Amino acid sequence: MTIEDLKSVYDIECASFPHTSWNMESFLRELTANQFAYYFVIEKEGNIVGYCGMWLVIDQSQITTIAVSGKEQGQGYGRQLMQHAKAYASNSADILSLEVSIDNEKAIKLYEKEGFLYGGIRKDYYGPGKDAHVMWMKLNE
Ligand SMILES: CC(C)(COP(=O)(O)OP(=O)(O)OC[C@H]1O[C@@H](n2cnc3c(N)ncnc32)[C@H](O)[C@@H]1OP(=O)(O)O)[C@@H](O)C(=O)NCCC(=O)NCCS
């Protein structure tokens, strides 16, 4: 992901997470000031159709965000993004984790298929009454 990509990424972000979307400054900070961050996009015919971000700190890695444009969902882009994240993280990390809203069935299915395990519940993670599953997997096994 580059600074030039941010407008397209932000459009997908707002459509994907209408109540909890990050602002442009948050993405910009991740790209320019967070030495632990790695963000990447997937393109179709020159247009960004999805993106994913992660933090890598010593031997642990964490997905911070992943989304595919609404009209491009269900075509394997989410899986491709996650498989790239896993491959990249496995160069340095032993564990990859993430949080996902307990009612986000599509994302949970994707994570289960990609080998994530349930690690517990974070109460009110997305706001009052909006709990998250912590999911995690070992890399390089
Ligand atoms: C979650 C998300 C990234 C998946 O992207 P995608 O490109 O649609 O997913 P894929 O086409 O690669 O499908 C991968 C798997 O996801 C699951 N999945 C995808 N669409 C699904 C649906 N409508 N219902 C149930 N499971 C679904 C399936 O397990 C699928 O595997 P399968 O095709 O072998 O059944 C996408 O739905 C999205 O951007 N959602 C909004 C943002 C979001 O919630 N991000 C996650 C935050 S934690």
Side-chain angles (χ1 to χ4, degrees):
M1 189 187 295
T2 65
I3 291 173
E4 290 71 38
D5 296 333
L6 284 185
K7 172 74 177 74
S8 304
V9 166
Y10 183 63
D11 288 346
I12 300 173
E13 172 80 7
C14 292
S16 303
F17 308 106
H19 306 297
T20 56
S21 57
W22 288 9
N23 57 31
M24 284 277 234
E25 288 70 34
S26 301
F27 280 104
L28 187 60
R29 211 166 33 242
E30 290 288 85
L31 294 189
T32 59
N34 183 352
Q35 61 172 312
F36 301 112
Y38 172 62
Y39 282 71
F40 54 96
V41 297
I42 191 161
E43 288 183 346
K44 175 186 178 187
E45 293 157 7
N47 297 312
I48 291 171
V49 295
Y51 60 90
C52 180
M54 61 201 299
W55 292 338
L56 296 122
V57 182
I58 312 177
D59 58 350
Q60 301 214 358
S61 55
Q62 182 182 358
I63 303 286
T64 55
T65 186
I66 179 169
V68 171
S69 161
K71 59 182 188 303
E72 303 291 351
Q73 288 180 10
Q75 300 176 57
Y77 294 120
R79 177 175 296 116
Q80 282 184 59
L81 286 165
M82 185 51 77
Q83 289 181 351
H84 178 71
K86 283 162 52 178
Y88 187 86
S90 68
N91 290 319
S92 59
D94 299 326
I95 302 265
L96 178 61
S97 66
L98 55 81
E99 282 92 11
V100 57
S101 176
I102 58 168
D103 57 10
N104 192 343
E105 290 172 17
K106 282 191 218 178
I108 290 170
K109 273 272 170 298
L110 167 64
Y111 304 150
E112 284 177 345
K113 280 205 166 171
E114 287 302 315
F116 283 84
L117 306 171
Y118 289 88
I121 297 278
R122 283 202 209 289
K123 291 290 284 177
D124 301 331
Y125 185 77
Y126 293 107
K130 298 188 188 326
D131 300 346
H133 288 296
V134 180
M135 299 186 78
W136 69 284
M137 66 183 301
K138 280 191 183 166
L139 300 166
N140 302 314
E141 282 212 320

